[in-house]
Amino acid sequence: MRIALIVGCIFFSLLATSVVFPQDDEGLNFSGFFRTDVGVSWVVSNDSLERYSYAGRNTFRLDFINKDTTYGKVDGSIDFYILSGEKSRPLTFQTNGLLIGDEVLLWFDLRKLYLLTRLEWMDISVGRQLVKFGKGFVFSPINFFDRLDLTDINFSRVGVDIIRVKIPISDTGAFDIVSAPKIEITNSDVSTRIIFSVLGVELEGIFGYFGKDEYLRSGVSFKGDIEIGIYGEFVYNYNEEEDKRYYEFMVGGDYSFLDHFTSRAEYYYNSYDKDNLTPIQSIKLKHYPFVSKDYILLQLSYTPDILNTITLSYIKNLEKEGFILYLEYRRNLFQNINFYTDVRFFYRDISGIINSKINNLYTSLSFDVRF
Amino acid sequence: MNKIIWYIVFLCICGLGFSITGDEILRRVDANLNFKNAIINAKMEIYLPGQQPRVKIFRTYIIEDQKAYTEFLNKEDKNIRYLKLGKQLWIHDKSENNTILISGHLLKQGMMGSDISYEDMLESEDLYSKYTSSLEGEDKIKNRDCYIILLKAKTDNVAYHSRKMWVDKEYYISLREERFAVSGRLLKTVEVEDFKLFGTRHYPTVSVVSDKLKANTKTIISIQNIDFDTSIQDSIFTKRYLER
């Protein structure tokens, strides 16, 4: 209840701020969307649909940023949810939700909320931010600070609480220092990154320390063109214990053809020896949910015009049985209104941790209105 | 006899003096289109059969043909920004704090779903350096007298192998243009609906672009205001500004 009150206070403070400072260069800019999803989830076993359940979600996203960002900015994004049925079940015991009745949950997710100060030769930002290192679309071992949410069909990333210093070194280059501090300072994560562009190729190097598991990480990434777009990442994870040292890499490519099709393929490999790990230890691995040795992503999008897009994505665990199949159709109904429908099939456990034979089929219909 | 000879010589000189070549026409077209820098506020209306137009509003800062920064201002796309430096194009999604270097093959696709490709956006307007031109004849477009010139690419490093232009005889604005692939296939048409005088140059303010590989689509670009050769800070054309 206290959490709901705090969120409510934040929301109304923001609205009040926009009313008090209505001038062009003062106050906050608001944007976002309202989206409603209605879905059905089935358990698939022995090639038949055995048990189904309703899953509903209403999302109100509020993005805000101060209008004059010359010397700094406050950048925030909050998702407010009303979750029902299957969508609310896994979150019922979380602290930032408010249960209404048996199955409906009010929930919020603070995606980002940070303050950035712009000095002459560097930017300093503190707070919850979305950090994206590397070039990988789904597999991105160089991406140090967050994990991919595979339940999100758009493969969006979650915010992390960090302090970041970014120093531009050229028009397209920068040097970054990012730290996720913890109470025990030795548990903190810290990473440096340099990114620059040369001869049409974008290069990136990282060196960091992952405190909790005591890993030193160094890696590189690139993105360039040889008719097709190619990109890749390599990371070496050094630990004092020799049997915990491992490397990861991914290579990917994208190509568009016949004017309306775009394809993408990515391959990921890690050399981590996970034979003696418990499932809980496996879930805590930095490269979770891609715990098995190697994975592949295949994606095909068909966009006949601005109104319609069909996307098929397939992620396969190549070491063990397990794959995810997403099929999404998006239709822009009007200027700011979209319709979506999708089917998602989760065959066994993509991470390879649990030897489960239970599969899950989920389908949903959604609308969103952008403001 | 001498008088007749002198009369013929006089006619020839007059003919040389007043005839115009394709190259000269192209140079004058370039003179209208090329600028050192500009700030453009424009509206893009994307038309599809049976649909209300999808409207996008944007602001672009341009320095010669090398640097451009574009940000969208309509509510659906206000998180999207582009930075062009030379032949490279980055797109920044402010909502996800993510900057992506666009792969070369994607540059042929329509920008924000329009009939204008990223390649069109990246291409320099300095046509004379990239195309040879020949005067093919004369025609009338919208009751305006026009030269027809045919442009052939000097190198492979251009988006269109050849172009046919109907150039206004008085203002040297291309009122209609057809753009072709190497195979001779018509890829795109551009029609200028309106143009205005800005200082000493005439510049199109309403253009209709139609991608002939799409069925019955068109995009209308309307320039709401434009400042030529104004001062633009170099810091705008950086990833720091793109991600600000």
Side-chain angles (χ1 to χ4, degrees), chain B residues 8-21 24:
Chain B
I8 290 168
V9 170
F10 176 75
L11 281 179
C12 289
I13 291 167
C14 287
L16 285 172
F18 291 107
S19 73
I20 190 162
T21 64
E24 282 174 84

Side-chain angles (χ1 to χ4, degrees), chain A residues 134-136 139-143 220-221 232-235 248-250:
Chain A
K135 312 297 178 215
F139 311 125
S140 189
I142 215 169
N143 204 32
V220 290
S221 83
E233 299 178 14
F234 176 86
V235 176
E248 304 165 83
F249 71 87
M250 65 83 56

